[in-house]
Amino acid sequence: MATCIAIDEILKQTWGYGSFRPLQQEAVEAALAGQDALVVMPTGSGKSLCFQIPPLVDGGLTVVISPLISLMADQVHSLHTVGYPAGALNSAMDAIESSEIEAKLLSGELKLLYVSPERMAMNSFRALLRQAHQGKGVARFAIDEAHCISEWGHDFRPEYRILSTLRDDFPTAPIHALTATATVQVREDIIRQLGLREPQVLVGSFDRPNLTFRVVPRDRTYSQVAEIIRKYPDDAAIVYCLSRKDTESVAAALDHQGIKAVAYHAGIDTAERGRISKDFAQERVNVVVATIAFGMGIDRSNVRCVIHTCLLKSVEAYQQETGRAGRDGLDSECVLLYGGGDVARIERLFDGGDPHHLEIQRRNLSHMRAFATTVDCRHKLLVEYFGQGYEGDHPCGACDVCLEGTEVVEDGTKIAQKILATIRELNRRHADFGFGANHITAILTGGHTKAIEKHGHQDLPGYACLAGTVRERIAAWIHQLEDQKLLRQSGGIRSYLKLSELGNTVLNSREEIVLRDPRAVSDLQTKSDDFSGIDGGLMAKLRSFRRDLANERGIPPYVLFDDSTLRHLATMRPVTQEALLAVPGMGEKRAADFGEPLMDQIAAYASANGLDTNIARSSRPRRRERAAARITPSAITLKALFDRHISIAECAAEVGLAVSTVGGYLAEYLESHPDAIWAYVDNSTYDQIINAANENAGDRLKPIFEALSGEVSYEIIRMVLAHRKSTEAGS
Ligand code: ADP
Ligand code: ZN
């Protein structure tokens, strides 16, 4: 098809991307064919290109309706960096700015216009649109965050309702609705409200393979949070807490541990909140500790880590908040710190008025609890929760359950029977109320709590039958029985557990019941991004280059070019125009605008550190496959080779990578296996390198290389310095 070639070329020239992501091409083609569409793709999967490409193909004006002014501004800035004629009209602009945009709109100079739904409600604006593009008017509409139109959605905005009249007012312009979260109900509602005509419905996988999910028992909140954040030293992290007080105490504790962090919640005044958002976007602040108030409007695409310090009220909310991680598609981590008291803590926040509403709140919470305590893949659970079959790999390689595995509990059936029988006995004694997992655990372990005394539960046959077993383990088993539907929830604001009919049958028939424990592993947690061989020094240099350039232009750094591009630059290290254009994300305009200074920086760094340049793009697996290959094949192979102390040159030949790249991997390997260094360097060489480093004060490699008359390779020097650093850090 002719348009296929054209849109491929546009993708390459303008954005520097080599191929489309799933459904992007279909969406673009539907738009060009004048067909309505509903596009449902998860955050970070590339919805924007779906409406940004068509105007570049046929020159027609696309009007994008978007709910948030800050997001609009970011998108427009980002489009300008690739030379795209786009603009926005919103209430944040003054009359002069607005009239400039209006003039460009009429002349046809603008191809893409972002507006707020409020603007779209104005008749004068609609009249203007009809005259736009020298009277040709609007070619098509794109409605971003389209779920905002539905009361069933999680973010209903009444002002979106006015968009129902678009169809009548602009009968010939096709409408594309785009959203990340849509249940079937919301989807139908969007189609109905907007009056879409036989829309092409494009629904992507809800899975986000670049996110690694992890649930960790909470024991020392502050140090656990600090430990996770330290894994991402120059990157952004968001920590979500349940209460304002918690955000402040966590932020203070982080500060105390030397991690700059800012608290953010609805009690902070608007101006200050705006400042924090801005500092975060401009990379002046990397860690924000927030309540859910820190949400919409945060478009920083390179958030590498989202931590929750407590369970939250629903899987929807969890998906929403973890959705802020890895919007640029790069590997990112979501950690939930979970404790046995979390469910009760959230139940206390329920409003107990309407029984129906209460029931919904309880059901939502119990799904979220099931996510936290599942012994199955967390990606699978999330995708299935949203009504899709899981099509990814199993094990997924990107959740703690799959990475670490579980073990079947020996005697699980017997243990489960004891638990179920105890609950049955409780049901008998207390027909119209019951107890939660905490109390039941206390009974089984032979606890001496007030409640046990009050109800005389020491007399239960099951009392202390699991004495000596860790309480968290039992609580986890109880939840597994609940997830197997052998127990059911009942009760009012405080829920409690009852034996279900199924549980009763299974108990009577002595059927087998499987219980699982997480496997206890200490360091199975490495992932590709911790082991990717990227030169940290060059990354830092490029990052500050980007920040300075972005600050000059008054835009956030990730808008100038994203972290994916940054990493490709650091690994491919282009120093010629041709190599530069091969970097994904380096379209022609960006290359022309700041390619020269960028290449100068890279060349200087590479020469000072003996790094190769102009490296062809590594065939990094695509997103979908990456879920399985979280640890890249070469990294796995290399690790095995390092374990056997194979020389760098031989390793390089074996995996087909440059010697310098293998050296980078080895340096990282040594951080966790410091003793392996003696297979690669003898004592006296080690000392010579350290002496040279001390004399030359610093970690720059070239002076050391020269001081040793070029007899010791850069790889060995780098390795020794890394080794010294890691042993110093350890002592
Ligand atoms: P969404 O709106 O779905 O959350 P975006 O449109 O913001 O996602 O895209 C997320 C990131 O993916 C952006 O950094 C974008 O540049 C990048 N991206 C989009 N399409 C492609 C593609 N075909 N190849 C490489 N990167 C892409
Ligand atoms: Zn998994």
Side-chain angles (χ1 to χ4, degrees):
M1 245 186 339
T3 52
C4 283
I5 301 165
I7 62 180
D8 272 1
E9 271 166 18
I10 287 169
L11 186 68
K12 181 70 202 159
Q13 276 170 8
T14 309
W15 283 277
Y17 296 144
S19 59
F20 282 103
R21 291 207 179 136
L23 302 185
Q24 284 182 326
Q25 186 165 343
E26 287 86 337
V28 170
E29 282 171 0
L32 291 171
Q35 201 187 354
D36 285 351
L38 172 66
V39 181
V40 186
M41 282 158 62
T43 309
S45 56
K47 285 187 289 301
S48 321
L49 288 188
C50 298
F51 53 78
Q52 291 167 349
I53 291 181
L56 296 184
V57 179
D58 66 5
L61 169 68
T62 293
V63 174
V64 186
I65 292 114
S66 169
L68 290 154
I69 293 173
S70 61
L71 298 195
M72 250 185 234
D74 275 3
Q75 291 233 1
V76 170
H77 286 309
S78 167
L79 288 170
H80 287 168
T81 67
V82 300
Y84 191 121
L89 274 179
N90 59 50
S91 55
M93 303 166 74
D94 60 34
I96 301 175
E97 281 176 298
S98 301
S99 58
E100 254 173 47
I101 294 287
E102 285 173 15
K104 287 185 184 170
L105 192 63
L106 292 172
S107 72
E109 199 181 315
L110 279 188
K111 300 272 178 270
L112 196 71
L113 177 72
Y114 284 86
V115 295
S116 59
E118 289 83 357
R119 179 70 50 138
M120 213 51 245
M122 293 157 59
N123 283 329
S124 56
F125 179 65
R126 291 189 183 208
L128 178 76
L129 282 184
R130 282 194 199 88
Q131 290 153 17
H133 262 220
Q134 304 183 334
K136 290 201 278 292
V138 182
R140 58 188 79 84
F141 289 97
I143 300 176
D144 208 4
E145 312 289 351
H147 58 272
C148 293
I149 203 170
S150 171
E151 266 171 317
W152 303 103
H154 56 77
D155 192 24
F156 173 57
R157 289 168 181 257
E159 66 272 22
Y160 254 63
R161 276 290 156 84
I162 193 74
L163 301 178
S164 328
T165 57
L166 274 186
R167 174 89 305 154
D168 287 343
D169 254 15
F170 298 87
T172 57
I175 300 178
H176 278 209
L178 303 102
T179 178
T181 44
T183 58
V184 174
Q185 199 176 29
V186 172
R187 236 181 271 168
E188 282 167 1
D189 205 20
I190 293 173
I191 293 177
R192 198 166 38 83
Q193 302 267 357
L194 291 175
L196 300 188
R197 287 181 298 234
E198 296 176 21
Q200 167 102 270
V201 179
L202 300 167
V203 182
S205 165
F206 293 152
D207 190 30
R208 299 195 54 206
N210 63 316
L211 300 188
T212 292
F213 293 105
R214 202 182 287 287
V215 179
V216 180
R218 184 180 54 240
D219 47 20
R220 309 146 290 131
T221 310
Y222 301 153
S223 44
Q224 285 177 304
V225 171
E227 213 170 282
I228 301 164
I229 290 178
R230 282 212 185 90
K231 288 183 11 198
Y232 305 92
D234 293 314
D235 285 313
I238 305 176
V239 184
Y240 281 110
C241 301
L242 207 53
S243 71
R244 296 177 186 187
K245 218 172 93 230
D246 289 352
T247 63
E248 278 164 5
S249 64
V250 172
L254 288 177
D255 254 346
H256 190 68
Q257 303 206 31
I259 297 172
K260 188 178 166 204
V262 182
Y264 183 107
H265 53 71
I268 293 174
D269 72 62
T270 323
E272 177 61 15
R273 288 206 321 238
R275 250 193 311 277
I276 297 172
S277 297
K278 192 147 186 210
D279 282 348
F280 187 66
Q282 309 269 13
E283 299 189 355
R284 285 190 291 270
V285 165
N286 274 331
V287 181
V288 173
V289 187
T291 55
I292 46 169
F294 192 64
M296 290 296 263
I298 296 311
D299 199 30
R300 185 161 169 180
S301 67
N302 54 359
V303 174
R304 288 280 86 82
C305 164
V306 168
I307 304 172
H308 285 88
T309 59
C310 177
L311 198 71
L312 51 179
K313 67 182 190 335
S314 67
V315 176
E316 277 87 350
Y318 189 65
Q319 200 218 19
Q320 181 81 8
E321 285 161 34
T322 53
R324 308 210 165 94
R327 295 196 45 150
D328 51 13
L330 295 180
D331 287 349
S332 308
E333 189 177 16
C334 305
V335 185
L336 168 65
L337 301 182
Y338 170 73
D342 287 2
V343 167
R345 184 161 179 217
I346 295 170
E347 280 176 345
R348 279 198 285 278
L349 305 174
F350 283 178
D351 49 85
D354 172 9
H356 175 65
H357 188 216
L358 184 63
E359 180 56 33
I360 294 176
Q361 289 175 307
R362 251 210 353 237
R363 198 164 348 125
N364 286 342
L365 176 58
S366 110
H367 281 298
M368 188 58 216
R369 193 276 308 147
F371 172 85
T373 61
T374 183
V375 282
D376 200 355
C377 174
R378 297 191 208 277
H379 278 271
K380 178 165 175 279
L381 185 143
L382 284 177
V383 167
E384 289 178 352
Y385 178 82
F386 290 103
Q388 271 185 343
Y390 177 69
E391 291 171 357
D393 298 280
H394 199 69
C396 73
C399 81
D400 50 350
V401 180
C402 289
L403 284 168
E404 290 158 17
T406 58
E407 274 164 2
V408 174
V409 176
E410 215 178 299
D411 281 339
T413 305
K414 253 190 225 153
I415 295 171
Q417 286 167 348
K418 284 180 189 167
I419 298 173
L420 295 178
T422 303
I423 294 172
R424 176 156 67 186
E425 184 54 28
L426 281 173
N427 295 170
R428 261 192 209 128
R429 290 200 191 177
H430 312 279
D432 44 8
F433 68 102
F435 301 90
N438 266 346
H439 183 76
I440 297 166
T441 305
I443 296 174
L444 296 165
T445 52
H448 299 281
T449 66
K450 268 195 197 130
I452 288 185
E453 251 157 57
K454 177 175 159 206
H455 296 290
H457 284 166
Q458 305 94 319
D459 312 336
L460 287 167
Y463 183 77
C465 68
L466 295 177
T469 307
V470 179
R471 298 182 50 141
E472 284 73 21
R473 220 175 143 203
I474 302 180
W477 291 336
I478 294 176
H479 290 312
Q480 289 172 33
L481 295 172
E482 193 184 337
D483 295 341
Q484 295 178 38
K485 309 279 180 251
L486 304 178
L487 298 174
R488 67 180 166 81
Q489 281 202 5
S490 189
I493 289 203
R494 293 298 303 271
S495 63
Y496 46 78
L497 291 166
K498 295 268 184 196
L499 194 68
S500 68
E501 293 224 5
L502 179 65
N504 200 29
T505 315
V506 168
L507 188 56
N508 289 337
S509 63
R510 307 194 162 274
E511 259 174 63
E512 190 192 346
I513 304 168
V514 177
L515 294 178
R516 293 180 168 272
D517 284 330
R519 188 172 294 158
V521 271
S522 49
D523 79 342
L524 226 175
Q525 308 186 346
T526 345
K527 288 194 311 303
S528 66
D529 286 350
D530 309 333
F531 198 71
S532 51
I534 291 182
D535 189 293
L538 182 54
M539 267 300 273
K541 196 164 171 180
L542 293 176
R543 201 188 279 282
S544 81
F545 170 83
R546 178 177 69 169
R547 188 168 40 224
D548 293 346
L549 205 60
N551 282 346
E552 263 170 39
R553 302 176 177 210
I555 58 176
Y558 59 84
V559 167
L560 195 62
F561 55 89
D562 63 20
D563 276 28
S564 167
T565 308
L566 196 69
R567 287 192 196 188
H568 278 112
L569 286 167
T571 40
M572 297 167 73
R573 303 191 278 271
V575 295
T576 60
Q577 195 65 20
E578 192 192 350
L580 183 68
L581 283 171
V583 172
M586 271 294 146
E588 291 177 356
K589 167 91 169 141
R590 281 179 180 150
D593 278 2
F594 47 79
E596 287 298 330
L598 197 58
M599 290 191 289
D600 287 349
Q601 300 257 341
I602 293 173
Y605 187 91
S607 122
N609 291 281
L611 296 173
D612 300 342
T613 52
N614 289 346
I615 298 166
R617 189 183 178 192
S618 58
S619 52
R620 197 164 144 74
R622 294 267 312 134
R623 288 156 61 83
R624 263 269 131 224
E625 298 88 78
R626 237 168 62 219
R630 191 121 317 238
I631 303 174
T632 54
S634 55
I636 295 177
T637 320
L638 280 173
K639 181 172 179 305
L641 296 174
F642 296 152
D643 282 344
R644 285 164 37 217
H645 302 162
I646 308 294
S647 79
I648 298 180
E650 282 175 81
C651 289
E654 177 76 30
V655 295
L657 291 174
V659 166
S660 63
T661 309
V662 173
Y665 276 106
L666 182 56
E668 286 186 32
Y669 172 84
L670 289 172
E671 280 175 20
S672 48
H673 304 78
D675 290 342
I677 191 159
W678 306 116
Y680 292 92
V681 55
D682 59 52
N683 271 322
S684 89
T685 312
Y686 188 98
D687 292 342
Q688 280 176 25
I689 294 171
I690 296 296
N691 288 339
N694 290 342
E695 272 162 33
N696 289 288
D699 281 357
R700 286 191 54 215
L701 303 185
K702 199 171 183 182
I704 304 176
F705 182 77
E706 284 166 358
L708 301 174
S709 331
E711 280 167 18
V712 182
S713 73
Y714 276 108
E715 285 67 46
I716 300 286
I717 297 174
R718 191 189 335 209
M719 203 168 81
V720 167
L721 294 181
H723 180 263
R724 176 180 65 170
K725 206 159 137 198
S726 68
T727 45
E728 275 172 0
S731 60

